[in-house]
Amino acid sequence: MAVSDKYIRQSALPHIWCPGCGNGILLAALLRAIDKQQLEQKKTVIVSGIGCSSRASGYMNFNTIHTAHGRALPFATGIKLANPELNVIVITGDGDSTAIGGNHFIHACRRNIDITTVIFNNNIYGMTGGQYSPTSPEGTVSATSPFGQLERSFDIVDMAMASGASYVARGTVLHATMLDGLISDALEKPGFNLVEILTPCHTQYGRKNKFKTVVDMYQWYKKNTVKLDRYRQLTPEEQGKFTPIGVFRDELRPGLEVRYEELRNKLQEQRNA
Ligand SMILES: Cc1ncc(C[n+]2csc(CCOP(=O)(O)OP(=O)(O)O)c2C)c(N)n1
Ligand code: SF4
Ligand SMILES: [Mg+2]
C-alpha cells in the first residue's frame, strides 16, 4: 500500500500548499521514514506549531495536535514525559521554531528529551505574507525588509549542536533519498533528534529574491549545498560558498524521559528502604 493511502487523512484534502511548495515533498519523506521505522499509528503523536509547514500535522492519520505558534515543543515535552511509550514527532517552521519558539527550541535541545523534530526551513514566514525570519539570509527582501534585511541569520544546525541535541542533521527537499535516511535515523535514535530541511517558498521568498521560477529555487539547492564529508575537505574560503548537508552529530545519549524515570525509581527505592 502506498504511504499516502496508509497515512494521509483523505478527509483533510485538498491541502493548502501553493504549487511548487516543498512541504509536500517533505511530508512524503516523513511518512516514508515513519513507515520504514514501522511506528504504530496509535502510538505516534505528531505535534506542530502554526504556519504553512505546521499544517502538515492535520493531513497525517496519527494522533495529531496543532498547537499555538512556537509552542509545539512544550506540548511535545509534556506528552513525552507523561507517556514515554509514545513516539513523539514535532513539525515546525523556521519562524515557529527559531523566532517565537526559539527559547523552547534551545531548551528542548539542552534537555535532550526523546523527540524527533523536523524543521521546514523556507527562510521566511510563509503563512502570514512573507515577513523575514531569523533564518532569512542577510539582504533578504521581504514584506518587513523591502530594502534587504540587515541582521545576521541563525544557523539552525549550529544552534542545536551548541544547545546539546544528540542527533543533528540537515537536508533539502531536492535530496529526497538522503532525506528519507536522515528522518528515519532521527526516528530510530534516543534523545532530541533534529533534522533541518531546506525547502522552497517561491510565493513569499522566491519571487522577491530574484528566483524567477520555482525550478530556480530547487536548482539553488543543487548548486549551493554540498555533502558534509566533501565540505570538510574544502578551504575556508570555498566553504563560505556552500551550505553543508548531512549528519553533523550522532551520539547515543538517553533522553530526559529515561533519566527522569531512573531518578523516580531511585527515590522510590530509597523511600521503601
Ligand atoms: C502568538 C502568535 N503570533 C503570531 C501569529 C501569526 N503567525 C502565524 S504563522 C506565523 C509565521 C510562520 O512562519 P514559519 O514558522 O516559518 O512557517 P511557514 O509558514 O513559513 O511554514 C506567524 C507570525 C500567531 N498565529 N500566533
Ligand atoms: S506560502 Fe510558501 S510555504 Fe506557504 S504554501 Fe505557499 S509556497 Fe508553501
Ligand atoms: Mg518559514
Side-chain angles (χ1 to χ4, degrees):
M1 194 192 286
V3 288
S4 52
D5 293 333
K6 201 164 164 190
Y7 300 121
I8 292 280
R9 278 185 188 135
Q10 300 298 328
S11 58
L13 300 178
H15 62 74
I16 62 155
W17 296 324
C18 308
C21 176
N23 291 352
I25 298 176
L26 219 161
L27 173 59
L30 176 59
L31 293 178
R32 284 192 296 271
I34 289 175
D35 197 56
K36 186 172 173 205
Q37 291 300 325
Q38 298 186 316
L39 302 189
E40 217 183 297
Q41 274 161 290
K42 283 191 179 158
K43 287 200 172 161
T44 302
V45 187
I46 317 287
V47 187
S48 67
I50 301 289
C52 295
S53 39
S54 289
R55 286 294 283 263
S57 61
Y59 305 133
M60 299 174 71
N61 201 8
F62 295 83
N63 300 291
T64 59
I65 170 166
H66 192 196
T67 69
H69 191 30
R71 284 5 182 207
L73 281 166
F75 277 87
T77 301
I79 292 166
K80 186 69 187 177
L81 279 180
N83 194 344
E85 299 297 303
L86 296 173
N87 310 304
V88 182
I89 301 171
V90 165
I91 291 176
T92 174
D94 47 309
D96 197 64
S97 61
T98 67
I100 193 168
N103 209 20
H104 297 303
F105 176 62
I106 57 175
H107 289 283
C109 293
R110 182 176 69 81
R111 292 184 180 121
N112 199 39
I113 184 162
D114 183 19
I115 294 171
T116 293
T117 295
V118 184
I119 299 187
F120 292 37
N121 183 7
N122 56 13
N123 307 109
I124 202 85
Y125 289 4
M127 178 167 264
T128 44
Q131 298 82 3
Y132 71 90
S133 87
T135 68
S136 302
E138 225 171 306
T140 293
V141 176
S142 74
T144 42
S145 58
F147 306 107
Q149 77 93 357
L150 302 173
E151 301 163 17
R152 184 176 173 158
S153 61
F154 275 147
D155 180 317
I156 292 178
V157 163
D158 284 353
M159 272 174 84
M161 301 264 282
S163 308
S166 61
Y167 178 89
V168 182
R170 180 191 288 125
T172 89
V173 288
L174 185 81
H175 303 80
T177 312
M178 180 185 184
L179 202 52
D180 288 13
L182 297 179
I183 303 176
S184 177
D185 265 11
L187 291 173
E188 195 175 6
K189 304 199 185 252
F192 190 79
N193 303 316
L194 186 271
V195 188
E196 176 198 0
I197 294 137
L198 306 178
T199 176
C201 169
H202 189 252
T203 306
Q204 302 293 5
Y205 183 90
R207 286 176 183 168
K208 288 198 178 80
N209 290 283
K210 298 190 182 143
F211 290 95
K212 281 196 182 136
T213 66
V214 179
V215 175
D216 292 343
M217 295 199 79
Y218 285 86
Q219 273 168 353
W220 191 95
Y221 295 134
K222 191 169 183 185
K223 285 190 200 135
N224 294 279
T225 60
V226 60
K227 298 210 172 120
L228 192 54
D229 44 0
R230 239 189 82 210
Y231 179 84
R232 286 186 172 137
Q233 292 164 0
L234 301 176
T235 62
E237 200 191 350
E238 288 167 329
Q239 285 182 344
K241 297 178 192 152
F242 295 100
T243 301
I245 53 174
V247 179
F248 294 76
R249 178 182 287 155
D250 184 1
E251 292 174 0
L252 284 181
R253 278 191 282 129
L256 174 69
E257 73 294 345
V258 175
R259 293 170 347 246
Y260 192 82
E261 185 64 12
E262 282 168 0
L263 176 63
R264 214 169 65 100
N265 290 340
K266 193 170 140 199
L267 294 176
Q268 191 66 49
E269 273 170 29
Q270 284 174 3
R271 217 170 287 135
N272 295 341

